[in-house]
């Protein structure tokens, strides 16, 4: 009887400790990842992405795109406008759905 109580308390204690340890390990892993310095390759990659982002914003479009790129893009847009009936193909289309009126149903 005493042995059963000890085993039951032991399992409760074990589950509480394991939950506590999992939470602490998870939290310390996040803190450790934020505290450590980036890998040099990761840092170089992030720097290049940030550099491309600033160049893209300054250029207002693709970076280092020559006149042949712009010519091909204009030809492609013209071909798509002819095929699909015009409109601005550089913007995402706006969809408008009307709510059905269930009050006025024909009998």
């Amino acid at each position: 009887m005493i042995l059963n109580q000890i085993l039951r308390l032991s399992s409760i204690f074990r589950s509480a400790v394991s939950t506590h340890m999992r939470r602490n390990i998870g939290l310390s892993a996040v803190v450790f990842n934020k505290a450590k310095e980036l890998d040099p390759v990761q840092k170089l990659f992030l720097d290049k992405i940030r550099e491309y982002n600033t160049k893209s914003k300054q250029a207002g479009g693709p970076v280092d795109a020559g006149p042949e790129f712009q010519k091909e893009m204009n030809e492609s847009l013209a071909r798509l406008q002819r095929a699909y009936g015009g409109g601005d193909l550089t913007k995402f289309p706006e969809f408008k759905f009307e709510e059905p009126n269930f009050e006025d149903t024909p009998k």
Side-chain angles (χ1 to χ4, degrees), residues 75-95:
E75 288 173 358
S76 297
L77 284 175
R79 190 172 52 247
L80 289 171
Q81 284 178 336
R82 282 192 306 270
Y84 295 109
D88 188 7
L89 298 178
T90 59
K91 294 183 182 175
F92 192 79
E94 294 182 16
F95 300 105

Side-chain angles (χ1 to χ4, degrees), residues 6 8 10 13 16 19 30-32 42-45 50 53 58 61-62 67 71 75 78 88 95-97 102-104:
I6 291 173
R8 188 174 28 181
S10 172
F13 179 71
T19 302
V30 170
V31 170
F32 178 71
Q42 288 176 337
K43 185 173 180 347
L44 181 65
F45 180 72
R50 289 182 185 125
N53 188 23
Q58 289 172 352
K71 180 182 174 188
E75 288 173 358
D88 188 7
F95 300 105
K96 295 181 182 176
F97 297 104
F102 293 115
E103 301 291 325
D104 299 331

Side-chain angles (χ1 to χ4, degrees), residues 41-66:
V41 175
Q42 288 176 337
K43 185 173 180 347
L44 181 65
F45 180 72
L46 289 176
D47 289 343
K48 287 294 180 180
I49 289 177
R50 289 182 185 125
E51 178 185 342
Y52 184 84
N53 188 23
T54 57
K55 283 184 179 180
S56 174
K57 286 181 181 176
Q58 289 172 352
V63 177
D64 299 333

